Amino acid sequence: MDALHQGVDVLFILLGGIMVLAMHAGFAFLELGTVRHKNQVNALVKILVDFSVSTVVYFVVGYGVAYGTSFMVGAQALAERNGYELVKFFFLLTFAAAIPAIISGGIAERAKFWPQLIATAVIVGFVYPFFEGIVWNQHLGVQAWIKGLAGAEFHDFAGSVVVHAVGGWLALGAVLLLGPRSNRYRKDGAMSAHPPSNIPFLALGAWILTVGWFGFNVMSAQTVDKISGLVAVNSLMAMVGGTLAAVLVGKNDPGFVHNGPLAGLVAVCAGSDLMHPLGALVVGGVAGALFVGMFILTQNRWKIDDVLGVWPLHGLCGAWGGVAAGVFGHQALGGLGGVSFWAQLLGTLMGVAWALLCSLVVYGALKWTLGLRLSQEEEFDGADLSIHRIRATPEREANW
């Protein structure tokens, strides 16, 4: 029975890893549908290569930083370990690799290819797993310190802060250091519109992410005996809450509508195991409205050229989710309890500060050494031709 139980746990978390792996196709198509035609190939290539780099560095370095486990032993020793530990690595790798996928959408259409991959290696090898280990593996005694100060540990069940807020705030630093795309904001105050190139692909990416997210959230339990139907229903309610808020606040704009469910799902990750479904609906609704409002503000008023709006979507909605778990997780609002608002606020601020600081250091160092941006001519031609030497539809263009 023990062997059967262990085998079921291995299969459970393996399926979760596969579902979250599929989400990376969602990242790719969401970016592909949002960027201009001349940058579509680059969007697809970046996500796949970023994932590959992430796999290597997380296997060799990052997983050990977070959990103190090294795979640098012989294959026989690995085979003798239980299979659960290996598939747990696979599952958590897909979380780690989401960080560069998030950043990719913010810096799209003007970032150099190889410096971005170097940043991916540093972030997935150290920056992300260092904070991951603090929150999910009790490193440095930080959780005990927070509990002593606020009465409870910082709670982030599936990564609103550990994954999404960290990814979004890392992206913000990179976006600010890169600067806006050429001619996006003109000196006379006018703005050049860069509408999404392909709404069906954008929608496909959003749907793939949405479906995969139920593996992201539900299977964060990591063992079958801890699986919770509450997590599944809360994820569903937050998803629809984000969608409905986005369609109302975004005035039927399809780009906002399809990012709305993602905003809701980002926000509910932290407290999805604690909240009442109606609380999750509110959390998702606030996230959907927050994304639309802040996307418009950053693009139009603050002139921050975050192409996919990853800072509002992941950075802000993730931070909101971290804090919201300390509100809607309380029994007074129908939650299970055991959380502290102040612990959630403190843990969220720590994640935001760590991500922004590391972003400025990593991308700042790359900017002043290798450079981050394509040349003006390369950006004008598009990343597809400048980096990959081919367009997304070469045969059709040849016929023209």
Side-chain angles (χ1 to χ4, degrees):
M1 290 300 295
D2 288 341
L4 177 62
H5 186 271
Q6 180 182 334
V8 171
D9 283 343
V10 169
L11 180 60
F12 174 72
I13 199 170
L14 176 61
L15 292 174
I18 292 169
M19 289 182 71
V20 185
L21 173 62
M23 290 176 69
H24 290 265
F27 282 119
F29 277 93
L30 186 68
E31 183 174 337
L32 182 153
T34 304
V35 300
R36 289 170 289 180
H37 287 286
K38 61 184 180 180
N39 297 295
Q40 290 182 325
V41 172
N42 183 242
L44 294 171
V45 172
K46 280 192 302 178
I47 300 299
L48 180 57
V49 179
D50 271 334
F51 184 88
S52 301
V53 171
S54 297
T55 300
V56 174
V57 297
Y58 197 67
F59 183 85
V60 175
V61 181
Y63 192 77
V65 171
Y67 300 101
T69 298
S70 174
F71 298 117
M72 305 309 291
V73 295
Q76 182 176 352
L78 288 177
E80 290 172 353
R81 294 183 184 182
N82 64 60
Y84 180 81
E85 185 176 325
L86 295 174
V87 292
K88 180 182 176 182
F89 155 77
F90 176 29
F91 180 68
L92 292 172
L93 159 69
T94 59
F95 280 55
I99 301 289
I102 290 167
I103 297 169
S104 174
I107 64 176
E109 301 202 277
R110 76 273 200 202
K112 287 183 176 180
F113 187 68
W114 292 106
Q116 175 194 330
L117 291 181
I118 294 173
T120 292
V122 175
I123 288 167
V124 178
F126 175 73
V127 173
Y128 166 76
F130 181 80
F131 188 69
E132 177 188 15
I134 286 175
V135 177
W136 287 340
N137 201 38
Q138 302 290 330
H139 279 188
L140 303 180
V142 174
Q143 285 283 32
W145 173 73
I146 293 175
K147 184 176 181 179
L149 197 65
E153 293 184 354
F154 173 60
H155 183 86
D156 190 358
F157 179 70
S160 285
V161 176
V162 174
V163 178
H164 297 287
V166 166
W169 285 86
L170 281 166
L172 176 64
V175 167
L176 293 175
L177 287 169
L178 265 175
R181 290 166 287 179
S182 296
N183 298 319
R184 179 72 174 95
Y185 306 111
R186 297 200 292 266
K187 293 181 180 180
D188 60 3
M191 294 185 295
S192 298
H194 294 327
S197 60
N198 193 310
I199 294 296
F201 276 147
L202 185 158
L204 175 63
W207 270 109
I208 294 172
L209 283 166
T210 298
V211 173
W213 222 296
F214 287 85
F216 195 99
N217 283 3
V218 175
M219 290 167 173
S220 285
Q222 298 191 16
T223 55
V224 172
D225 61 313
K226 295 179 182 177
I227 192 170
S228 170
L230 185 62
V231 174
V233 174
N234 282 343
S235 300
L236 176 68
M237 296 299 279
M239 167 204 155
V240 299
T243 304
L244 294 174
V247 73
L248 291 173
V249 180
K251 301 178 180 178
N252 302 324
D253 181 285
F256 289 144
V257 170
H258 286 94
N259 277 281
L262 309 183
L265 286 162
V266 164
V268 82
C269 287
S272 57
D273 62 329
L274 299 174
M275 300 177 188
H276 187 277
L278 292 179
L281 181 68
V282 174
V283 169
V286 171
L290 178 65
F291 166 71
V292 175
M294 291 305 297
F295 182 90
I296 294 172
L297 186 63
T298 53
Q299 294 283 336
N300 298 345
R301 184 72 62 84
W302 296 347
K303 294 181 170 54
I304 298 175
D305 192 15
D306 178 355
V307 179
L308 268 67
V310 297
W311 178 61
L313 180 64
H314 297 274
L316 295 182
C317 292
W320 155 242
V323 175
V327 177
F328 292 93
H330 282 290
Q331 291 181 341
L333 292 176
L336 297 181
V339 288
S340 162
F341 170 79
W342 296 110
Q344 294 306 114
L345 180 62
L346 181 57
T348 299
L349 290 176
M350 288 175 60
V352 166
W354 173 249
L356 187 57
L357 172 64
C358 290
S359 178
L360 295 175
V361 171
V362 172
Y363 287 101
L366 288 170
K367 179 176 181 178
W368 298 116
T369 53
L370 302 177
L372 290 176
R373 284 192 71 130
L374 297 171
S375 69
Q376 190 170 3
E377 181 180 355
E378 289 172 331
E379 187 178 342
F380 178 80
D381 291 339
D384 291 359
L385 285 182
S386 300
I387 298 174
H388 309 291
R389 304 292 186 263
I390 192 169
R391 294 276 198 209
T393 54
E395 291 183 5
R396 185 176 67 182
E397 290 171 3
N399 291 334
W400 288 356

